[in-house]
Amino acid sequence: MSTSTSGRRRRADAERSIARIVSAARESLSQDPTASIDDIAKAAGVGRMTLYGHFRNRADLVEAALVDALRAGEEVLAAVDLTGDAQDALTRLLDSSWSLVAESTALLAAAQGTLPAGRIRQLHTAPAERVEELIRRGQEQGAFRTDLPMTWLVGVIQHVLHGAAEEIRAGRLKSAETARVVIATVQSILAVPAAAGPS
């Protein structure tokens, strides 16, 4: 076996090992945001030394898991049809988004307890920009309110999604009705306020 072939095989083995560890981290942290390095290594079927050979510390591993979850979510959301009427497009986006958020709420909690807030915001840039573009289009169509800051509206929508996920985890909201509740809540938040009546 040539040195180059041996090197390629080692790289391929390393990539498979990293993928297995990241997948185990996503699953472990989604079930328990306090999952330890030992828990994740065990779930991945590797030893601590192997794990530390790829990730310097728990923070690096948590970030890799969050990045992987966001990448997978981005693939789903990028396929959502956002053309046409902004309200209809928002309904389609929320219908796809809430379940992704529900799956990653515990993972996000792990990240919030480990990574700087600025880094988490940076990693969520693409989803936030998609929502912002859609709200802006809805405002241009006269369908969404324009009296509140854009950053506030985007942030409130993110809080609604995460709040719905927490309600499901607490057993106060059924999965089957979550999409309807989330969509109705967000649409009411974005609705153009009724004109004030005579004083």
Side-chain angles (χ1 to χ4, degrees), residues 12 48 53 59 85 92 104 111 127 136 150 160 172 186 188 190 194 198:
R48 284 171 58 92
D85 180 80
R92 292 191 293 272
S104 62
R136 202 173 303 283
M150 178 63 72
V160 169
R172 292 187 293 263
V186 172
S188 68
L190 295 179

Side-chain angles (χ1 to χ4, degrees), residues 4-187:
S4 61
T5 300
S6 176
R8 285 196 300 272
R9 179 166 293 177
R10 281 197 298 273
R11 283 195 297 275
D13 287 345
E15 288 171 4
R16 282 192 294 271
S17 179
I18 290 169
R20 194 165 59 248
I21 292 168
V22 171
S23 177
R26 276 183 62 181
E27 184 173 348
S28 298
L29 293 168
S30 292
Q31 294 173 359
D32 177 9
T34 65
S36 67
I37 286 286
D38 286 339
D39 295 330
I40 295 168
K42 182 177 179 181
V46 301
R48 284 171 58 92
M49 292 305 295
T50 298
L51 190 150
Y52 278 121
H54 299 301
F55 300 96
R56 294 173 304 169
N57 50 46
R58 186 174 181 275
D60 284 355
L61 182 52
V62 169
E63 178 168 335
L66 181 59
V67 167
D68 192 57
L70 289 170
R71 176 199 54 74
E74 186 62 20
E75 290 179 2
V76 173
L77 297 180
V80 177
D81 177 15
L82 298 182
T83 60
D85 180 80
Q87 286 182 316
D88 292 342
L90 180 64
T91 293
R92 292 191 293 272
L93 182 62
L94 292 171
D95 197 31
S96 297
S97 297
W98 80 263
S99 57
L100 295 173
V101 172
E103 291 173 8
S104 62
T105 297
L107 178 55
L108 181 60
Q112 289 170 333
T114 307
L115 305 177
R119 179 57 177 154
I120 294 174
R121 282 195 301 273
Q122 183 182 27
L123 292 173
H124 282 81
T125 297
E129 286 179 348
R130 180 180 287 108
V131 172
E132 182 174 336
E133 286 178 19
L134 189 50
I135 294 174
R136 202 173 303 283
R137 196 170 87 233
Q139 290 174 333
E140 292 170 356
Q141 294 174 355
F144 297 150
R145 68 192 311 152
T146 59
D147 60 322
L148 296 176
M150 178 63 72
T151 53
W152 172 255
L153 293 174
V154 173
V156 168
I157 291 172
Q158 291 174 336
H159 283 295
V160 169
L161 289 165
H162 289 294
E166 289 296 341
E167 290 297 293
I168 292 172
R169 287 169 64 85
R172 292 187 293 263
L173 187 61
K174 296 179 181 177
S175 294
E177 64 183 14
T178 303
R180 178 187 63 79
V181 171
V182 166
I183 290 166
T185 302
V186 172
Q187 291 283 12

